[in-house]
């Protein structure tokens, strides 16, 4: 499943990177964040691509332990990076809609670059303890992973040791770190919704909400499959194996495949003009990716 489906993922996200790079009018913060999102999706997809192709082409179903750990690191690390990018994109939408006249001074190119670097470092650091813990466990059970790639819990469950610390750390990452990301996104969109409701006409309200709705669809497509995948692996004794494998592949394939479609559609929609209290045009908001 993951192997063939990575082809449209690669094409869609490479096209986004190419178009933004070659079109000077798109050299703005929101498109920089979109490029970060596309790059992250490419890393996640290509993390499973080499082994997936070797399975389909050569029926090579084995993977070395260090290669498995590397695959785990890139998949889970860049999931955290992508989660941070969605927070940054929500903040960009908040500033663009609620404080349009200050958008260019708040989100300068330097600030955008620092945000991207901070999200990258955060993702790489947060996932590292899980990989180090997985590397130190003794493995004396079967060496067959109950998944199509090296998912963290699928690997750790093969250890002949008490893996409670892995489980607790995973819960911490999901419910505290990812939970904070979701909370920031929620707060941003509450403020955005208030600003949309204050727009002068129903037409402009619907158009603005439709544009931001595309971003919300991308967020839901990202977080929901990941949450299901995490819960099914944490409480796998109550969930059929085929469903665990299905949800694991969905969160790797579905968001990177849908993001180019969602943002390509929203890019065709122009954001309406916000009006200041005196009725004069305050700013023409740019299209939301």
């Amino acid at each position: 499943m993951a192997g063939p489906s990575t082809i449209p993922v690669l094409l869609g996200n490479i096209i986004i990177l190419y178009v933004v790079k070659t079109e000077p009018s798109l050299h703005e913060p929101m498109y920089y964040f979109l490029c970060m999102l596309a790059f992250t999706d490419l890393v996640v997809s290509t993390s499973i691509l080499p082994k997936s192709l070797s399975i389909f082409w050569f029926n090579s179903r084995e993977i070395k332990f260090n290669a498995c750990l590397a695959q785990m690191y890139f998949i889970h690390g860049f999931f955290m990076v992508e989660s941070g990018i969605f927070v940054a994109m929500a903040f960009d939408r908040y500033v663009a809609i609620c404080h349009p006249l200050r958008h260019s001074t708040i989100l300068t190119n330097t600030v955008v670059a620092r945000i991207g670097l901070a999200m990258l470092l955060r993702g790489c650091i947060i996932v590292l303890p899980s990989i180090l813990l997985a590397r130190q466990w003794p493995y004396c059970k079967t060496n067959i992973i109950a998944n199509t790639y090296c998912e963290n819990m699928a690997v750790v469950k093969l250890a002949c040791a008490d893996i409670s610390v892995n489980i607790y750390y995973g819960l911490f990452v999901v419910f505290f770190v990812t939970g904070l990301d979701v909370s920031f996104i929620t707060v941003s969109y509450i403020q955005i919704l208030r600003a949309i409701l204050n727009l002068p006409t129903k037409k402009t309200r619907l158009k603005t909400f439709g544009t931001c709705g595309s971003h919300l669809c991308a967020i839901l497509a990202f977080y929901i499959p990941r949450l299901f995948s995490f819960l099914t692996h944490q409480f796998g004794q109550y969930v059929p194996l085929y469903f665990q494998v299905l949800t694991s592949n969905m969160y790797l394939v579905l968001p990177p495949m849908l993001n180019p479609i969602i943002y390509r559609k929203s890019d065709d929609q122009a954001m309406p003009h916000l009006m200041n209290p005196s009725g004069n045009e305050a700013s023409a908001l740019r299209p939301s990716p």
Side-chain angles (χ1 to χ4, degrees):
M1 176 182 176
S5 60
T6 54
I7 296 176
V9 171
L10 296 177
L11 289 176
N13 287 285
I14 288 174
I15 289 173
I16 286 179
L17 293 173
Y18 175 78
V19 170
V20 174
K21 182 180 184 299
T22 56
E23 179 54 56
S25 64
L26 301 182
H27 293 175
E28 299 179 1
M30 60 183 177
Y31 292 105
Y32 293 147
F33 287 130
L34 182 56
C35 284
M36 294 178 194
L37 186 66
F39 176 77
T40 303
D41 287 338
L42 286 174
V43 172
V44 172
S45 300
T46 53
S47 296
I48 63 172
L49 183 61
K51 192 59 198 176
S52 298
L53 293 179
S54 70
I55 293 173
F56 283 102
W57 290 351
F58 308 111
N59 199 31
S60 174
R61 300 181 180 275
E62 296 181 355
I63 185 171
K64 293 185 177 180
F65 186 59
N66 287 335
C68 186
L69 292 179
Q71 190 182 77
M72 287 168 52
Y73 182 72
F74 280 103
I75 290 173
H76 295 287
F78 276 85
F79 168 84
M80 296 307 305
V81 173
E82 187 160 350
S83 180
I85 292 172
F86 275 120
V87 175
M89 295 177 78
F91 177 69
D92 175 65
R93 298 285 71 74
Y94 163 75
V95 176
I97 294 176
C98 298
H99 305 282
L101 299 180
R102 300 174 56 195
H103 184 267
S104 60
T105 58
I106 294 175
L107 286 169
T108 63
N109 290 344
T110 301
V111 171
V112 171
R114 289 176 178 174
I115 291 175
L117 180 60
M119 295 303 101
L120 177 62
L121 293 175
R122 188 191 75 151
C124 294
I125 292 172
I126 287 176
V127 174
L128 189 58
S130 295
I131 307 302
L132 295 177
L133 287 170
R135 193 174 188 275
Q136 75 172 3
W137 300 132
Y139 294 89
C140 56
K141 299 180 182 179
T142 176
N143 60 353
I144 299 176
I145 302 172
N147 212 320
T148 55
Y149 65 95
C150 292
E151 204 279 335
N152 181 43
M153 290 307 300
V155 173
V156 171
K157 284 180 179 179
L158 302 180
C160 301
D162 183 5
I163 60 170
S164 298
V165 63
N166 281 81
I167 296 175
Y168 294 145
Y169 186 75
L171 290 170
F172 165 78
V173 170
V174 169
F175 291 107
F176 183 75
V177 180
T178 308
L180 276 179
D181 290 349
V182 174
S183 298
F184 286 136
I185 292 171
T186 302
V187 170
S188 296
Y189 270 91
I190 288 175
Q191 299 300 318
I192 289 171
L193 182 60
R194 289 177 178 176
I196 291 175
L197 294 177
N198 288 328
L199 289 173
T201 65
K202 181 178 180 180
K203 182 178 179 180
T204 55
R205 288 195 295 270
L206 291 176
K207 193 170 184 179
T208 307
F209 184 78
T211 307
C212 294
S214 298
H215 184 51
L216 287 174
C217 289
I219 292 172
L220 293 176
F222 174 73
Y223 283 109
I224 291 178
R226 171 57 179 164
L227 180 61
F228 272 103
S229 176
F230 175 81
L231 293 177
T232 54
H233 279 89
Q234 291 291 339
F235 309 103
Q237 64 270 27
Y238 308 110
V239 182
L241 179 59
Y242 70 87
F243 189 76
Q244 296 182 40
V245 175
L246 178 63
T247 55
S248 295
N249 282 272
M250 281 182 61
Y251 102 80
L252 280 184
V253 174
L254 191 62
M257 186 182 297
L258 291 180
N259 285 342
I261 300 173
I262 292 172
Y263 288 116
R264 176 64 184 88
K265 180 180 178 180
S266 66
D267 188 46
D268 292 335
Q269 303 175 1
M271 290 284 283
H273 292 26
L274 284 182
M275 306 297 290
N276 63 22
S278 63
N280 298 323
E281 188 175 272
S283 174
L285 296 184
R286 295 176 293 278
S288 171

